[in-house]
Amino acid sequence: MTTPLEGIRFSVLDRSRTREGEDGGRALRDTVRLAREAEALGYHRFWVSEHHSVPGVAGSAPTVLAAAVAGATTRIRVGTGGVMLPNHQPLVVAEQFGVLESLFPGRIDMGLGRSVGFTDGIRRALGRDKEDADRFAGQLDELLGWFTGEQTAHPQVHARPAEGLRVPPYVLATGEGAAIAAAAGLPLVIGDLKGRARLLEAIDGYRSAFRPSVWSSEPYVVVAGTVAVAGTEEEARRMLMPEAWSLAYSRTRGVFPPLAPPERITALEMTDKQRGFYESGLQGHVYGTEEQVAAELTRAVQETGAQEVLVTTSTYDRTALLDSYRRLARLAGLTPA
């Protein structure tokens, strides 16, 4: 008997979140270990992210970390979720992915986003400003041209070894980014599952405006969000607490901190403003027992028509996180490697 989730790809995005009392090296090594576990469980792809000057995130160089992940695995697709293109020169990004694809042929994905550093100081350090995000569509066109050999911005310059390779590009988007993905004829990665109405509107707009390209002949939608599966609903909700508190702290203190254990968060005296952000951070995610999560994911997939789910869960307890991925693999019917 088939289930509504059969045929849907499930993948993992890990942000290399740091935990209280641990350094960035531990977080990065844990990302590589999680990638091996995800491969063994049958997940389709494993992506890493780009953040700069964030105390709670160690993943600042996604193509470097992707190389480590690809070198530690053998089958799972590996990529970025994503490289923030406004922070970089398209030629350099093409060269980096050309090297990755040459070393690990047929396994590399190029997930691309349009965000810039989230503070003025970070943007200055990167040599960028807020308006650079508006250049994303043009940068994307140039980047793809380095692979096809059709870029015209820099005559007689070639991206080696990228030119002639086909590294699948994906656009990470909310709102305007979905329109850019449609115009470029690229797959769309969009979240979060908690903002369902806005999500559905963006996906509908993407599908209606999609123009086939050499990269993709038809729309392809990946929905991204937090999914937590445990033996009880309360245990699953407990997994959401560290990230919710980090979000609340960042919104009130301006710094995104390492993940704290749930028992410490429970004992905190929060301001009314922090409590509001914290409670909001716990809402709208997909969490619960295997039966509850299967039902909610089925509804999400049916509403969005997505071909793939990208799970972006972060929590303090690594054992609980791995158990959640194991339970999710089971309810999704993934085939272990």
Side-chain angles (χ1 to χ4, degrees):
M1 177 182 296
T2 61
T3 70
L5 295 178
E6 288 190 24
I8 302 298
R9 289 170 168 168
F10 279 80
S11 299
V12 175
L13 166 64
D14 190 69
R15 295 189 177 91
S16 302
R17 293 288 273 113
T18 57
R19 275 79 173 172
E20 285 189 350
E22 297 178 358
D23 62 13
R26 171 71 187 272
L28 295 169
R29 290 188 292 272
D30 282 334
T31 291
V32 175
R33 279 190 285 267
L34 182 59
R36 288 196 291 260
E37 296 284 358
E39 178 175 70
L41 290 170
Y43 285 91
H44 181 62
R45 63 180 105 241
F46 189 96
W47 283 3
V48 296
S49 62
E50 175 182 338
H51 296 274
H52 298 284
S53 191
V54 180
V57 183
S60 57
T63 54
V64 176
L65 185 52
V69 169
T73 55
T74 59
R75 177 198 56 81
I76 196 169
R77 296 196 64 86
V78 176
T80 55
V83 164
M84 297 300 120
L85 194 52
N87 291 338
H88 309 280
Q89 290 295 333
L91 170 62
V92 176
V93 175
E95 290 171 337
Q96 291 173 345
F97 279 97
V99 169
L100 283 170
E101 176 64 19
S102 297
L103 290 171
F104 309 101
R107 293 181 57 208
I108 301 300
D109 299 323
M110 185 169 58
L112 305 161
R114 62 187 295 269
S115 297
V116 293
F118 73 99
T119 69
D120 290 339
I122 295 171
R123 288 189 289 271
R124 284 194 297 269
L126 291 169
R128 299 294 185 269
D129 55 41
K130 288 183 178 180
E131 288 69 33
D132 283 309
D134 298 331
R135 300 171 48 233
F136 177 69
Q139 284 188 304
L140 178 63
D141 183 65
E142 180 186 334
L143 173 62
L144 299 180
W146 288 116
F147 285 92
T148 62
E150 297 172 339
Q151 70 82 26
T152 58
H154 305 280
Q156 299 181 336
V157 180
H158 300 270
R160 310 292 189 195
E163 188 171 309
L165 299 179
R166 288 294 182 267
V167 181
Y170 296 77
V171 173
L172 280 65
T174 57
E176 181 182 350
I180 294 172
L186 299 180
L188 173 70
V189 183
I190 188 165
D192 193 317
L193 285 170
K194 64 185 297 185
R196 195 65 56 85
R198 183 182 179 189
L199 182 74
L200 295 176
E201 181 181 359
I203 290 173
D204 287 344
Y206 163 73
R207 288 200 176 101
S208 64
F210 184 86
R211 297 190 304 188
S213 69
V214 297
W215 302 97
S216 186
S217 61
E218 58 187 23
Y220 187 89
V221 174
V222 183
V223 292
T226 296
V227 180
V229 197
T232 67
E233 183 177 352
E234 182 56 34
E235 289 173 343
R237 186 179 185 276
R238 187 177 175 84
M239 291 178 60
L240 306 178
M241 293 169 61
E243 193 71 36
W245 169 242
S246 287
L247 176 63
Y249 190 93
S250 70
R251 296 291 295 274
T252 55
R253 299 290 186 89
V255 177
F256 201 75
L259 295 171
E263 56 270 18
R264 192 173 78 75
I265 296 169
T266 302
L268 288 172
E269 292 187 9
M270 301 183 193
T271 66
D272 290 343
K273 189 173 185 179
Q274 286 176 333
R275 178 67 62 180
F277 283 130
Y278 173 68
E279 295 295 340
S280 176
L282 292 171
Q283 296 172 5
H285 303 294
V286 177
Y287 72 95
T289 64
E290 291 182 39
E291 293 76 14
Q292 290 171 317
V293 169
E296 179 56 31
L297 282 178
T298 296
R299 184 170 75 89
V301 167
Q302 290 175 339
E303 287 180 351
T304 62
Q307 290 100 324
E308 186 171 342
V309 175
L310 180 66
V311 183
T312 63
T313 309
S314 297
T315 192
Y316 179 85
D317 188 336
R318 294 182 180 84
T319 300
L321 181 62
L322 181 55
D323 180 65
S324 177
Y325 277 120
R326 286 171 177 157
R327 291 174 182 270
L328 178 59
R330 183 163 58 238
L331 70 88
L334 302 187
T335 303

